[in-house]
């Protein structure tokens, strides 16, 4: 009796604790990757300019210009991309809505066939499809989920995507510039702060992956550091050639 109660308790605990990671990343993934993009691109830009042996003012100006240009570019691109995707989805929803209005029985049969193909018994699939099709809006939502893989009530907002992309990129791109704005007179404080930011971004990415935080952090630090090193070398080479 005690063994049965223990097993039941363990089963209940397992059921209560059975959770999964957010495989879509939610807001965390685009925000972190936007900041990481700003960090890497602006750090690489500034080190490339600094490699050309230009003045400190030119390095700071390039960093601020890179921040503004990159953030506006990211926001515009994200807005256009999400708006286009949303318009396409809404057009497909209109098609599905018309079909449900003109051919309700055919759409009901189609839904039943989908459930039957997934292993539901034929009579049960037909009954489930019949009950779900009684409400046109519910039927539209179910057909959209089953056929298009989307949720009509949870379409992405182009404005939110643009603003979040702008903010996260600008925040990341600000890090390499910040030491100069606070009075630094050389490139190294900017590089060190940017590399620290890359490590932290990589560690945060581990929240939505199966990797350990230190592995993700070191990987991003290595990639960002390599990009900065290559652009610094190219800046030195080009600066010598132009000079």
């Amino acid at each position: 009796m005690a063994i049965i109660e223990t097993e039941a308790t363990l089963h209940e605990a397992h059921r209560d604790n059975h959770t999964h990671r957010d495989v879509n990343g939610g807001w965390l993934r685009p925000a972190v990757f936007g900041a990481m993009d700003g960090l890497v691109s602006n750090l690489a830009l500034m080190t490339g300019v600094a490699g050309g042996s230009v003045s400190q003012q030119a390095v700071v100006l390039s960093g601020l210009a890179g921040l503004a240009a990159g953030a506006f570019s990211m926001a515009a691109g994200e807005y256009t991309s999400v708006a286009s995707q949303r318009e396409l989805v809404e057009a497909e929803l209109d098609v599905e809505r018309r079909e449900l209005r003109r051919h309700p029985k055919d759409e009901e049969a189609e839904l039943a066939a989908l459930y039957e193909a997934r292993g539901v018994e034929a009579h049960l699939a037909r009954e489930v499809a019949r009950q779900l099709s009684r409400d046109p809006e519910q039927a539209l939502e179910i057909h959209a989920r089953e056929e298009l893989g989307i949720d009509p009530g949870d379409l992405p907002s182009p404005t939110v995507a643009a603003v979040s992309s702008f903010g996260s990129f600008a925040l990341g791109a600000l890090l390499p510039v910040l030491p100069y704005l606070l009075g630094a007179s050389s490139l190294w404080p900017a590089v060190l702060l940017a590399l620290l930011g890359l490590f932290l971004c990589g560690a945060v990415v581990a929240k939505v992956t199966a990797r350990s935080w230190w592995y993700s952090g070191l990987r991003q630090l290595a990639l960002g550091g390599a990009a900065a090193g290559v652009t610094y070398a190219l800046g030195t080479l080009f600066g010598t050639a132009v000079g």
Side-chain angles (χ1 to χ4, degrees):
M1 183 66 177
I3 294 176
I4 295 175
E5 290 177 351
T6 301
E7 289 178 348
T9 302
L10 290 174
H11 175 73
E12 185 68 25
H14 177 266
R15 186 177 66 184
D16 291 342
N17 295 325
H18 186 68
T19 58
H20 293 283
R21 294 184 184 89
D22 178 6
V23 295
N24 292 320
W27 62 268
L28 180 63
R29 185 176 62 179
V32 171
F33 278 97
M36 201 178 295
D37 189 13
L39 255 171
V40 174
S41 62
N42 218 28
L43 175 62
L45 173 64
M46 291 175 65
T47 53
V49 172
S53 300
V54 298
S55 67
Q56 175 184 332
Q57 182 181 9
V59 176
V60 176
L61 183 60
S62 69
L64 292 174
L67 185 158
F72 280 111
S73 175
M74 288 286 290
E78 195 72 13
Y79 183 92
T80 302
S81 174
V82 174
S84 299
Q85 179 187 9
R86 186 181 178 111
E87 289 164 2
L88 174 61
V89 169
E90 288 174 343
E92 291 301 312
L93 288 175
D94 286 340
V95 171
E96 193 65 37
R97 191 176 285 109
R98 285 196 301 270
E99 289 300 309
L100 284 167
R101 186 173 60 251
R102 294 174 180 174
H103 310 288
K105 291 299 181 183
D106 291 341
E107 291 297 306
E108 182 181 318
E110 183 179 333
L111 189 59
L114 283 172
Y115 289 136
E116 191 174 347
R118 294 184 179 183
V120 180
E121 294 180 2
H123 71 281
L124 181 57
R126 289 194 296 270
E127 178 60 21
V128 170
R130 184 188 68 80
Q131 293 190 29
L132 293 177
S133 299
R134 288 184 295 192
D135 182 354
E137 287 304 314
Q138 178 177 257
L140 175 64
E141 180 178 340
I142 293 170
H143 278 274
R145 288 178 183 273
E146 295 293 336
E147 298 176 28
L148 303 175
I150 59 173
D151 182 357
D154 190 28
L155 298 182
S157 166
T159 301
V160 171
V163 171
S164 60
S165 180
F166 182 95
S168 60
F169 184 96
L171 182 62
L174 178 63
L175 278 186
V177 187
L178 194 57
Y180 283 104
L181 299 179
L182 295 177
S185 57
S186 68
L187 181 65
W188 287 111
V191 171
L192 292 176
L193 182 60
L195 292 178
L196 175 62
L198 286 169
F199 180 83
L200 292 176
C201 282
V204 172
V205 168
K207 291 290 185 180
V208 291
T209 66
R211 293 289 188 179
S212 60
W213 63 270
W214 59 266
Y215 175 87
S216 295
L218 289 176
R219 178 177 61 182
Q220 193 56 42
L221 186 150
L223 292 172
V230 169
T231 53
Y232 183 84
L234 290 173
T236 302
L237 178 64
F238 295 153
T240 302
V242 172

